[in-house]
Amino acid sequence: MSLKFPIYMDNHATTRCDPRVVEAMLPYFTEDFGNAASRNHKYGWVAEEAVDYAREQVQKILGARSEKEIVFTSGATESNNLAIKGAAHQYKDRGNHIITVKTEHKAVLDTCKRLEREGFEVTYLDVDSRGQISPDDVKKAITDKTILVSVMLCNNEIGTVQPIAEIGKITRERGVLLHTDAVQGVGRMPFHVDEMNVDLVSISAHKIYGPKGVGALYVRRNKPRVRLTAEMDGGGHEHGMRSGTLNVPGIVGLGKACEILVKEMEQDIAHVRGLRDRLRKKLEGALEMVHLNGAEDPWRHPGNLNVSFSFVEGEAMMMGIKDVCVSSGSACTSASLEPSYVLRALGVDTELAHSSIRFGLGRFNTEEEVDYVAQIVIREVNRLREMSPLYELHQEGVDYKTIQWVAH
Ligand SMILES: *Cc1c(COP(=O)(O)O)cnc(C)c1O
């Protein structure tokens, strides 16, 4: 098989829709176009039936007890907003304290920031050098005022998996709600809402080979029964938690994406893990000073390889490998020169943070692609290092960090 360019290895940003998902969605744009809320005719019933079926497919992948616990949304940004603001506003009489983590997705962090402006208090927990929080820190941070803990299952930049099951034991014991942004983790590792004692779970279709603009929020209905204040007013859809006409084709796509993952999870994980390990082995075999950002298995997303190459600037590297789609932890293209806040929270030094590249392997990547990418990344790292005066000094045995630079 010949390679198709550019090669896509940015599967944490989004994934290609699985053709089986597209096929399942298509009839709901044309023949079966009904509004799932239309109770009086066949078009409505057919659409409602499709939505009900998708709800069961999502229920299964999360291990939820009832399909009623699934609320469809426009994606995980909305799910995170609804979970956190919805719980905060619902339970504000019980307390005003929320606990989260410095390396969460912006959809969680910015939601918490807004709540702070409303008078809520938020604790942002630190992570260790691999990006993990300690369950003990959660325990210590909980006060009588704590109503919610929000910790992601798996990080989108560095792939670190958080010890959700252990955190869940603590929050359950203390009667505090636990929300997890499971966007990157679901389908990539075992996950079950009861085993993990989570009460609210956000997922997104486009990160699991489904369409963009659709997601879901799991809301526990039993032990405890979680109530959320709706963030949007309207027709009272989704048990009053999320008004708005349902995106029937999108929801069908999300359901199908979950169904495929439930059936093929093991082989999917083995496939991406095999590719990731092959890429890592090739890079580490050919290059010195390749630093892994994040944790090792089993605390790592099977398709995530985030590495920093000493003496290489991430943005320059990206220019040199233009026919490969990856992400850089360097934010030089944006207005700020700050590197990724996730890498900084790990304590990765600024230069290494700027030199980080995130490879996100997915279902549709091949060994042939990995071999090609490894080859051109190795070539580019070597080329950039040859041009670097600091690398030259390093090779001569000079620790460049101790040099006193003189301004002219
Ligand atoms: C992509 C992503 C989101 C946002 O999901 P959307 O459906 O694109 O809004 C939230 N959290 C994590 C961890 C993500 O990777």
Side-chain angles (χ1 to χ4, degrees):
M1 225 174 73
S2 65
L3 289 171
K4 225 179 116 200
F5 294 101
I7 293 172
Y8 190 75
M9 281 197 189
D10 201 14
N11 284 284
H12 300 300
T14 194
T15 55
R16 172 186 189 147
C17 226
D18 192 297
R20 294 170 286 181
V21 168
V22 178
E23 196 187 342
M25 291 171 68
L26 283 176
Y28 297 95
F29 289 102
T30 50
E31 299 98 81
D32 302 321
F33 60 84
N35 184 330
S38 297
R39 290 279 150 77
N40 303 317
H41 51 70
K42 180 141 188 273
Y43 286 100
W45 303 330
V46 169
E48 190 187 21
E49 208 171 289
V51 168
D52 287 346
Y53 186 64
R55 226 183 273 284
E56 286 170 28
Q57 291 167 316
V58 177
Q59 175 199 349
K60 275 198 196 115
I61 202 169
L62 299 177
R65 281 169 194 244
S66 158
E67 74 287 348
K68 293 200 182 87
E69 298 179 307
I70 309 302
V71 173
F72 289 116
T73 65
S74 64
T77 298
E78 187 188 340
S79 297
N80 286 343
N81 270 266
L82 177 56
I84 298 169
K85 288 179 191 162
H89 293 145
Q90 183 71 28
Y91 297 107
K92 61 178 189 294
D93 294 337
R94 276 196 208 162
N96 71 340
H97 182 228
I98 295 166
I99 299 169
T100 188
V101 185
K102 288 185 176 164
T103 53
E104 291 292 310
H105 191 271
K106 287 287 182 191
V108 166
L109 293 177
D110 289 352
T111 299
C112 288
K113 293 251 158 62
R114 182 174 297 276
L115 288 172
E116 280 183 286
R117 292 198 288 275
E118 289 178 22
F120 287 89
E121 278 175 31
V122 182
T123 300
Y124 299 90
L125 295 175
D126 283 313
V127 293
D128 64 19
S129 61
R130 305 166 311 148
Q132 247 189 5
I133 58 166
S134 120
D136 220 42
D137 287 349
V138 176
K139 201 183 230 166
K140 285 184 200 138
I142 293 176
T143 71
D144 294 344
K145 294 263 193 296
T146 310
I147 48 176
L148 176 73
V149 173
S150 178
V151 178
M152 73 202 319
L153 178 58
C154 177
N155 187 273
N156 46 299
E157 279 189 38
I158 52 170
T160 299
V161 178
Q162 299 291 2
I164 297 296
E166 279 177 72
I167 296 164
K169 275 187 206 139
I170 296 164
T171 49
R172 185 63 80 236
E173 208 177 281
R174 299 290 304 266
V176 173
L177 295 180
L178 176 59
H179 165 248
T180 190
D181 172 342
V183 171
Q184 299 287 343
V186 73
R188 275 75 178 213
M189 57 202 66
F191 179 80
H192 191 286
V193 291
D194 283 341
E195 280 164 21
M196 308 236 167
N197 279 314
V198 291
D199 305 302
L200 295 155
V201 182
S202 304
I203 65 167
S204 176
H206 77 100
K207 306 289 177 79
I208 53 172
Y209 314 101
K212 289 163 190 57
V214 59
L217 179 66
Y218 160 83
V219 185
R220 185 177 287 281
R221 277 174 81 93
N222 199 8
K223 290 182 187 169
R225 182 183 179 98
V226 180
R227 292 179 190 281
L228 298 177
T229 300
E231 295 300 311
M232 232 172 345
D233 298 308
H237 307 73
E238 301 296 272
H239 314 296
M241 282 190 260
R242 200 278 189 178
S243 286
T245 299
L246 292 179
N247 170 5
V248 178
I251 288 166
V252 167
L254 170 60
K256 186 71 186 178
C258 289
E259 183 187 275
I260 293 170
L261 270 179
V262 167
K263 279 197 204 120
E264 300 177 4
M265 181 145 19
E266 263 176 61
Q267 61 207 78
D268 228 41
I269 293 172
H271 173 69
V272 295
R273 176 171 282 140
L275 294 178
R276 181 202 62 183
D277 292 349
R278 184 183 180 96
L279 181 59
R280 183 177 176 189
K281 223 165 129 188
K282 286 191 178 250
L283 296 179
E284 289 179 344
L287 297 165
E288 59 166 343
M289 292 182 290
V290 179
H291 310 270
L292 181 76
N293 297 311
E296 297 280 357
D297 287 340
W299 297 107
R300 186 175 198 97
H301 184 296
N304 176 285
L305 183 66
N306 187 315
V307 282
S308 293
F309 303 98
S310 304
F311 306 104
V312 172
E313 213 279 306
E315 293 292 319
M317 173 85 177
M318 303 272 285
M319 307 264 229
I321 56 169
K322 275 212 170 101
D323 52 2
V324 181
C325 308
V326 290
S327 279
S328 159
S330 180
C332 295
T333 45
S334 68
S336 82
L337 288 173
E338 291 286 302
S340 137
Y341 68 92
V342 173
L343 293 175
R344 275 196 316 168
L346 265 63
V348 174
D349 88 53
T350 311
E351 280 157 59
L352 277 184
H354 275 303
S355 82
S356 86
I357 300 281
R358 178 187 71 181
F359 300 91
L361 284 310
R363 180 181 292 167
F364 301 109
N365 287 120
T366 63
E367 285 192 351
E368 200 183 1
E369 287 178 334
V370 164
D371 293 351
Y372 174 83
V373 169
Q375 182 197 322
I376 70 155
V377 168
I378 291 164
R379 189 193 63 204
E380 196 56 23
V381 169
N382 283 329
R383 193 181 70 84
L384 290 167
R385 281 180 178 171
E386 270 161 34
M387 288 171 12
S388 157
L390 292 179
Y391 184 62
E392 202 175 319
L393 286 174
H394 162 80
Q395 282 187 310
E396 287 163 10
V398 180
D399 181 359
Y400 72 96
K401 282 189 180 146
T402 63
I403 296 175
Q404 305 275 312
W405 301 100
V406 180
H408 291 284

